[in-house]
Amino acid sequence: MGALVVKKHLNEPLSLHCWNKLGGPAECLIDIETQDELVRVLSESHANQIPVRVLGLGSNLLVSDGGVSGVVIRLKGEFTNFSFDGNTMHAGAGADLRKVIPESVRFGLDGLWQLAGFPATIGGALAMNAGGRWGEISDTLSRCSGFLPNGKPYEQTVKECQFSYRRSQLRGIVTQATFQLRAGDPRQMRRKLKKVMAEKASTQPLGANSPSSGCAFRNPLIGEHRCSAGQLIDEAGGKGMRVGGASVSAEHANFIVTTPEATSGEVMDLMHQVQQLVAEHHKVNLIPEVVQWPNSKDH
Ligand SMILES: Cc1cc2nc3c(=O)[nH]c(=O)nc-3n(C[C@H](O)[C@H](O)[C@H](O)COP(=O)(O)OP(=O)(O)OC[C@H]3O[C@@H](n4cnc5c(N)ncnc54)[C@H](O)[C@@H]3O)c2cc1C
């Protein structure tokens, strides 16, 4: 990255940038402000066979204590912009969903309040097809575009993204997305927004003293039915299980919360113990929802 004039931080602890406050250093963390910078970082890394990963708000990530080699980028600057044009919203992948949602409601646009109550960038939400019982981000997406690992641009239709429950097949790093929203009544939507937030606050550990990566495990399909992983863990007696500073939340058994002394290794050990417990009790294999670096397939 020698010739690039970009904001880069060497050996930057990712614990400072992940929601769970865990994780070792990134060899090089770069905040990308413009498309030109992105293309240059990608093509230079590709030419030198340096892996590039993209970090959103780190709210669904578990980075190992040893950290990750190569480059981690964050989409900042122009990638955090979003705008409305009639019922259409154009958003950069670095835009914070928690800022986008209230604006969409203020503009009287329906389709995004359903995603309230969790931290996400637009890019991270698309990668995870984030959502819940009110809807998923893919419901209103009309197209997205971005850059392949070699720095070449790509466009993708919704069908090509192959969205499913908390999954997508993005071709590379998404940088822009267009959403088709519906006209709605701001007052009604504000009420619904409040309801969603209140429900989340009463069922999930959301306080600053309970850092987590959201749901640790995917809700498993049992027959035709997607069951609550939290309920299975709870029924198996998992609430309160602990390894070091990591414990299964008493509020929601699919959340693993940590103390400031916790390590990612302790979270991983606890996840294995919970998987064993549920396998023994219910004969169900829980699959992690949380993305693990450096192990999971990532961008
Ligand atoms: C308290 C709490 C509650 C939560 N509740 C929910 C919930 O109700 N529903 C839900 O779905 N999730 C929930 N989550 C999980 C999390 O908020 C979502 O998965 C969110 O979409 C992750 O976004 P992010 O920007 O933080 O992505 P990150 O966690 O930073 O990254 C997640 C993945 O997305 C990839 N990624 C990020 N940006 C891009 C990009 N531009 N292009 C390609 N790939 C990219 C990353 O490489 C990584 O693989 C919760 C998390 C917390 C901490």
Side-chain angles (χ1 to χ4, degrees):
M1 298 306 117
L4 284 175
V5 186
V6 289
K7 284 187 199 160
K8 60 181 174 185
H9 311 268
L10 299 180
N11 291 318
E12 174 75 0
L14 288 175
S15 54
L16 300 177
H17 307 287
C18 285
W19 208 261
N20 57 14
K21 299 188 167 64
L22 298 173
E27 196 176 349
C28 182
L29 174 72
I30 304 180
D31 284 339
I32 305 274
E33 307 269 339
T34 66
Q35 190 166 300
D36 283 352
E37 283 179 6
L38 178 62
V39 171
R40 290 173 66 193
V41 168
L42 288 177
S43 25
E44 197 169 318
S45 303
H46 187 71
N48 291 291
Q49 296 183 325
I50 298 170
V52 177
R53 296 177 171 83
V54 56
L55 173 68
L57 296 182
S59 60
N60 205 41
L61 272 183
L62 180 59
V63 178
S64 77
D65 297 312
V68 287
S69 59
V71 171
V72 172
I73 61 165
R74 288 191 302 183
L75 297 175
K76 301 285 188 182
E78 67 180 42
F79 300 106
T80 60
N81 296 336
F82 58 94
S83 61
F84 300 94
D85 175 10
N87 288 359
T88 304
M89 181 183 81
H90 303 282
D96 187 327
L97 205 51
R98 295 165 306 169
K99 292 186 181 148
V100 171
I101 291 170
E103 280 299 281
S104 67
V105 168
R106 200 166 69 84
F107 275 82
L109 293 173
D110 192 347
L112 294 175
W113 61 262
Q114 291 82 343
L115 308 173
F118 57 86
T121 58
I122 292 281
L126 287 172
M128 303 309 301
N129 191 19
R133 66 191 187 89
W134 293 277
E136 295 171 331
I137 191 153
S138 53
D139 294 345
T140 53
L141 182 75
S142 50
R143 61 180 180 278
C144 64
S145 59
F147 290 85
L148 299 172
N150 60 9
K152 298 265 183 293
Y154 74 86
E155 283 194 22
Q156 226 175 340
T157 61
V158 178
K159 195 167 174 218
E160 286 164 349
C161 292
Q162 296 180 46
F163 289 110
S164 57
Y165 166 70
R166 301 297 161 269
R167 288 237 165 99
S168 68
Q169 296 292 330
L170 300 178
R171 290 178 64 201
I173 293 173
V174 60
T175 54
Q176 293 291 329
T178 302
F179 297 85
Q180 203 53 49
L181 305 172
R182 303 173 295 277
D185 172 11
R187 276 204 311 189
Q188 259 188 30
M189 286 189 285
R190 235 170 256 131
R191 269 201 299 275
K192 289 178 184 165
L193 195 56
K194 265 192 177 167
K195 197 174 152 212
V196 176
M197 304 284 278
E199 190 177 309
K200 296 248 176 196
S202 68
T203 55
Q204 297 179 355
L206 301 179
N209 295 329
S210 317
S212 75
S213 312
C215 287
F217 299 102
R218 295 162 58 79
N219 290 330
L221 254 189
I222 302 181
E224 302 274 284
H225 187 55
R226 201 165 280 287
C227 295
S228 154
Q231 193 179 337
L232 295 175
I233 298 167
D234 196 4
E235 285 169 6
K239 267 191 180 166
M241 274 172 80
R242 171 180 292 275
V243 174
S247 58
V248 175
S249 164
E251 281 167 82
H252 192 308
N254 201 11
F255 278 60
I256 291 182
V257 291
T258 55
T259 64
E261 297 75 36
T263 63
S264 296
E266 289 168 352
V267 174
M268 286 177 200
D269 285 352
L270 181 57
M271 285 175 68
H272 286 137
Q273 290 187 18
V274 169
Q275 281 171 313
Q276 273 174 359
L277 178 80
V278 170
E280 279 160 24
H281 199 275
H282 293 290
K283 309 275 177 281
V284 171
N285 290 324
L286 290 181
I287 295 169
E289 176 171 316
V290 63
V291 175
Q292 293 172 44
W293 281 3
N295 297 325
S296 305
K297 175 187 167 290
D298 40 40
H299 300 289

